Amino acid sequence: MSKHIILFTAALLLPVFTWAQQLTAAEAGEGIAVIFETDMGNDVDDALAIDMLYKYADLGTINLLAVMTNKDNSYSAEYIDILNTWYGRSALPIGIVRNGADSGGDDNYAAKVCLMKDRKGLPLFRRSLKDTTALPDAHRLYRQLLSQQPDHSVVIISTGFSTNLARLLDTTADEYSPLTGRELVARKVKTLIAMAGGFDGSNRPEYNVFIDIPSAKKVFHEWPTELVTSPWEVGNAIEFPATSIEAKGLQLMNKKGKKRSEALRYSPVVEGYKAYLPMPYDRATWDLTSVLYAVEGPDWFGLSAKGFIHVDDKGVTSFSPDPAGNRRYLITTRAQNHRILQHFVNIFDR
């Protein structure tokens, strides 16, 4: 989704490793339980971020439990279903938001990919679900999944609005757990990693926070576990290259195999990127930085001191250092930005 502030590559010479080798070197934990929270369809970095998660899951580095959309638009869930199907994860649960803060209309890259046709006039990409509007509310699916996990084991990656997470906190006991939402989160969640806010001194609201300020306030002020945010300025400094997208598209088109269907010659991520803005363009990696920190840890970044994050009535975020706090935000140097970018490209090229 768009992480721009409201108002509207050169890589370092590093040893050549595969991204999987780099992951091992980072000593990322095996099988981390992850739930991905996204406003899929707003900005294309969400699509690039979920591509990373599928590949981490293929390695066994994470156990991807579900994808939740906080964009109240049917094409958001449909596009996620297309992605799940294309990446061989058709059974991956999807939770949706109803009466959410953002529907965004149907003029978005997710809708454009969903409406793509093959040469016979049929949908280009396969689906696994007949009716995504019948999917469960995300906050209900959260309760079901969290109740099944070991204590303090789940990492939630939030790259959109806080609507679903705020509703989760407000839930009461049900058939899944006798705990309230806040108690269930405190018991089962290890960390929340959020792409949200800004701490660059601009004193302007960031998009994810601004769209649903009441929910952002609730989550940043009341979330009971550690919360680490990747602020706007971090992802904005690392732009994913159009050349990598174009190369992936050509690779798929030219891949050999008589039995390959037309759909397999196209990637829903590549086509989404191409549909989002006129090509070629490089795009900020806001959501990818959140995924990278959540899965591979802090070695790629700097971290603020511990403290508290405040959201004001206009959606502006501020940070107060305090050793008693459990909020932190990511920081990067120019050298780290170059290294992270190359890592992103290596993962996408896999």
Side-chain angles (χ1 to χ4, degrees):
M1 55 160 293
S2 182
K3 308 304 183 312
H4 54 280
I5 294 285
I6 301 297
L7 286 181
F8 313 165
T9 356
L12 293 180
L13 294 176
L14 296 171
V16 178
F17 299 114
T18 67
W19 78 275
Q21 287 171 325
Q22 289 176 328
L23 179 59
T24 301
E27 297 181 349
E30 292 184 4
I32 304 166
V34 170
I35 298 175
F36 184 50
E37 174 81 34
T38 170
D39 65 332
M40 191 73 74
N42 280 346
D43 201 309
V44 76
D45 56 327
D46 294 76
L48 293 170
I50 202 170
D51 173 86
M52 290 177 67
L53 289 170
Y54 291 131
K55 290 168 180 174
Y56 285 131
D58 288 343
L59 282 179
T61 307
I62 67 169
N63 176 17
L64 187 56
L65 300 178
V67 180
M68 313 292 193
T69 177
N70 46 65
K71 182 175 176 63
D72 191 5
N73 180 285
S74 62
Y75 285 117
S76 182
E78 185 177 348
Y79 179 65
I80 292 169
D81 180 42
I82 286 173
L83 290 165
N84 286 349
T85 305
W86 197 88
Y87 283 86
R89 297 186 174 272
S90 58
L92 187 64
I94 301 171
I96 63 175
V97 65
R98 291 180 170 86
N99 300 314
D102 169 69
S103 62
D106 293 341
D107 185 20
N108 59 67
Y109 71 87
K112 291 173 183 176
V113 172
C114 291
L115 296 172
M116 289 181 70
K117 307 293 183 182
D118 63 16
R119 285 172 290 185
K120 297 180 180 179
L122 300 173
L124 177 60
F125 293 108
R126 290 178 51 237
R127 280 79 161 161
S128 298
L129 301 174
K130 291 183 179 180
D131 182 12
T132 55
T133 63
L135 288 167
D137 288 337
H139 61 279
R140 292 274 297 158
L141 184 56
Y142 268 116
R143 288 191 61 86
Q144 178 183 357
L145 294 171
L146 289 177
S147 68
Q148 299 167 352
Q149 301 306 309
D151 290 354
H152 313 299
S153 65
V154 179
V155 173
I156 298 175
I157 305 171
S158 176
T159 63
F161 320 121
S162 300
T163 314
N164 290 330
L165 299 176
R167 290 178 182 179
L168 170 60
L169 291 178
D170 284 340
T171 56
T172 56
D174 58 10
E175 68 270 31
Y176 302 123
S177 172
L179 303 177
T180 67
R182 183 183 175 89
E183 291 168 342
L184 187 62
V185 168
R187 172 78 62 84
K188 300 295 184 177
V189 175
K190 178 181 179 182
T191 307
L192 170 61
I193 314 297
M195 190 282 118
F199 305 101
D200 59 352
S202 62
N203 202 39
R204 293 176 292 180
E206 182 272 325
Y207 187 81
N208 284 354
V209 175
F210 180 81
I211 292 299
D212 191 351
I213 294 173
S215 292
K217 280 187 171 186
K218 175 174 286 292
V219 170
F220 276 99
H221 299 170
E222 300 179 21
W223 191 262
T225 77
E226 177 188 54
L227 191 164
V228 178
T229 181
S230 182
W232 179 87
E233 59 270 15
V234 168
N236 193 60
I238 309 168
E239 294 190 334
F240 197 87
T243 52
S244 184
I245 299 294
E246 292 169 331
K248 174 66 75 173
L250 288 173
Q251 178 189 23
L252 290 170
M253 290 297 295
N254 295 328
K255 197 169 184 179
K256 303 296 183 182
K258 292 183 179 180
K259 294 184 179 181
R260 295 183 74 239
S261 68
E262 184 175 354
L264 293 179
R265 298 182 185 275
Y266 297 89
S267 157
V269 171
V270 170
E271 297 308 313
Y273 195 103
K274 289 161 63 177
Y276 180 63
L277 290 172
M279 290 287 283
Y281 67 95
D282 298 343
R283 193 62 181 162
T285 58
W286 295 288
D287 295 349
L288 287 73
T289 57
S290 301
V291 170
L292 179 60
Y293 178 82
V295 178
E296 299 196 38
D299 287 354
W300 296 91
F301 303 91
L303 272 175
S304 73
K306 292 182 178 181
F308 297 97
I309 293 175
H310 176 72
V311 180
D312 71 13
D313 291 340
K314 295 181 179 180
V316 175
T317 50
S318 58
F319 179 78
S320 302
D322 189 323
N326 61 354
R327 308 292 193 249
R328 303 179 83 171
Y329 63 89
L330 303 183
I331 304 165
T332 58
T333 64
R334 184 173 298 181
Q336 286 173 322
N337 291 342
H338 285 308
R339 181 169 173 253
I340 290 169
L341 176 59
Q342 188 57 56
H343 193 46
F344 287 156
V345 170
N346 289 343
I347 295 174
F348 184 74
D349 287 349
R350 179 178 180 270

